[in-house]
Amino acid sequence: GYGLSDIPQQPENTSFLDLVNDTASILDSLNISKVFVVAKDFGAKVCYTFALFHPEKVAGIVTLGVPFIHPNAPFNLTLPEGFYIRRWQEPGRAEADFGRFDAKTVVRNIYIIFSRSEIPIASENQEIMDLVDPLAPLPSWLTEEDLSVYGELYHKSGFQTPLQVPYRSLGEKFKSPKHDLDDVKIEAPTLVIMGENDYSFKFPGMEQYVKSGEVKKYVPNIEIIYLPKGCHFVHEQFPDQVNQFLLSFLNCNRS
């Protein structure tokens, strides 16, 4: 339901597990036995869940912006009512907010909001789209041509599935067929690339969890690279550096 991908028949019922199963089905249909899985943002949940369900298929993992988060990790994500995730979990709220603009403007606003270092939180009488001044410039690394391409893709797909996964599926519960939840570990070699100015570090407990090494309890074979001045979109902000990190990781862990 994103970009050029087909919209699910029941987008309102789409789940993270659907994306995990789709990934496995794609590999089976192509007769590919083992892969490196690279994921951005909420794709990390798909990636790590795939690794728990199908460890034999995973040669290594790379995630951008989001590490593995154990269901029992010591987080307190209680944030104000205006917190963007809470707003977008509310059926109809984002639809009404986004519906005031064309798809290109929605994408523009999202890039501007999420390239900042602060968590997007609206006040009581604001919507999330109102957090952006209409005259605010794009980030220096995003061109109008880029924006036009993305805007056209979202014009085609709409935002129903992107709102369903991740925001309205975050509470989804499922059990790994290979692991007890209390003893979950990601054994595959793992690389996490994060920008030092990524707003996600402001989530309560996130910076401590990552930088203290707490995450290594669950992902023992992990390397974390921090990009100074990097925001939530490090792959677009610093593509050459990120590509080099990816290639080095692949070469080091190729069997």
Side-chain angles (χ1 to χ4, degrees), residues 105-162:
T105 302
V106 173
V107 176
R108 169 190 285 273
N109 289 349
I110 286 173
Y111 263 97
I112 292 172
I113 290 170
F114 289 97
S115 63
R116 296 169 177 167
S117 61
E118 298 300 322
I119 299 174
I121 298 176
S123 64
E124 183 178 356
N125 297 317
Q126 275 186 317
E127 297 299 331
I128 299 300
M129 292 291 102
D130 295 331
L131 295 175
V132 179
D133 183 330
L135 300 179
L138 287 174
S140 60
W141 38 266
L142 185 71
T143 69
E144 286 290 343
E145 183 179 1
D146 295 332
L147 184 64
S148 294
V149 172
Y150 291 149
E152 183 59 33
L153 291 174
Y154 278 98
H155 175 73
K156 170 189 174 294
S157 69
F159 293 96
Q160 186 174 11
T161 310

Side-chain angles (χ1 to χ4, degrees), residues 29-205:
S29 69
L30 296 174
N31 293 318
I32 296 173
S33 60
K34 205 162 191 177
V35 292
F36 287 91
V37 188
V38 182
K40 164 75 179 107
D41 192 72
F42 82 83
K45 183 171 181 177
V46 179
C47 170
Y48 290 121
T49 304
F50 179 80
L52 290 173
F53 277 51
H54 305 282
E56 74 285 353
K57 295 180 182 291
V58 179
I61 295 168
V62 181
T63 62
L64 307 174
V66 176
F68 174 76
I69 299 176
H70 191 280
N72 296 331
F75 283 105
N76 175 13
L77 289 182
T78 303
L79 286 160
E81 180 276 334
F83 176 41
Y84 77 98
I85 290 179
R86 291 186 61 183
R87 286 287 180 88
W88 291 352
Q89 286 176 328
E90 182 181 335
R93 187 72 179 258
E95 287 86 341
D97 186 12
F98 293 5
R100 298 178 293 156
F101 309 96
D102 60 23
K104 180 179 177 180
T105 302
V106 173
V107 176
R108 169 190 285 273
N109 289 349
I110 286 173
Y111 263 97
I112 292 172
I113 290 170
F114 289 97
S115 63
R116 296 169 177 167
S117 61
E118 298 300 322
I119 299 174
I121 298 176
S123 64
E124 183 178 356
N125 297 317
Q126 275 186 317
E127 297 299 331
I128 299 300
M129 292 291 102
D130 295 331
L131 295 175
V132 179
D133 183 330
L135 300 179
L138 287 174
S140 60
W141 38 266
L142 185 71
T143 69
E144 286 290 343
E145 183 179 1
D146 295 332
L147 184 64
S148 294
V149 172
Y150 291 149
E152 183 59 33
L153 291 174
Y154 278 98
H155 175 73
K156 170 189 174 294
S157 69
F159 293 96
Q160 186 174 11
T161 310
L163 287 167
Q164 176 64 23
V165 181
Y167 304 106
R168 295 170 187 171
S169 300
L170 283 174
E172 179 185 350
K173 303 292 184 184
F174 42 79
K175 294 182 179 180
S176 166
K178 302 180 186 296
H179 296 273
D180 182 277
L181 187 60
D182 292 327
D183 191 35
V184 164
K185 274 193 172 57
I186 301 292
E187 303 290 354
T190 300
L191 173 66
V192 177
I193 304 172
M194 299 193 72
E196 287 280 9
N197 293 334
D198 192 324
Y199 73 89
S200 68
F201 275 128
K202 303 288 179 64
F203 282 27

Side-chain angles (χ1 to χ4, degrees), residues 232-246:
H232 193 59
F233 301 101
V234 287
H235 58 304
E236 294 178 86
Q237 188 180 10
F238 301 114
D240 293 339
Q241 286 177 264
V242 170
N243 280 339
Q244 190 55 56
F245 294 142
L246 286 169

Side-chain angles (χ1 to χ4, degrees), residues 15-35:
S15 69
F16 278 100
L17 193 54
D18 288 329
L19 301 188
V20 172
N21 292 336
D22 284 350
T23 304
S25 295
I26 289 169
L27 297 184
D28 289 343
S29 69
L30 296 174
N31 293 318
I32 296 173
S33 60
K34 205 162 191 177
V35 292

Side-chain angles (χ1 to χ4, degrees), residues 198-243:
D198 192 324
Y199 73 89
S200 68
F201 275 128
K202 303 288 179 64
F203 282 27
M206 176 66 85
E207 188 165 14
Q208 171 69 14
Y209 172 71
V210 176
K211 293 189 174 180
S212 71
E214 176 82 9
V215 66
K216 292 185 179 181
K217 292 181 180 179
Y218 313 116
V219 192
N221 193 8
I222 188 174
E223 176 187 3
I224 304 176
I225 294 175
Y226 303 99
L227 286 176
K229 301 183 180 179
C231 71
H232 193 59
F233 301 101
V234 287
H235 58 304
E236 294 178 86
Q237 188 180 10
F238 301 114
D240 293 339
Q241 286 177 264
V242 170
N243 280 339

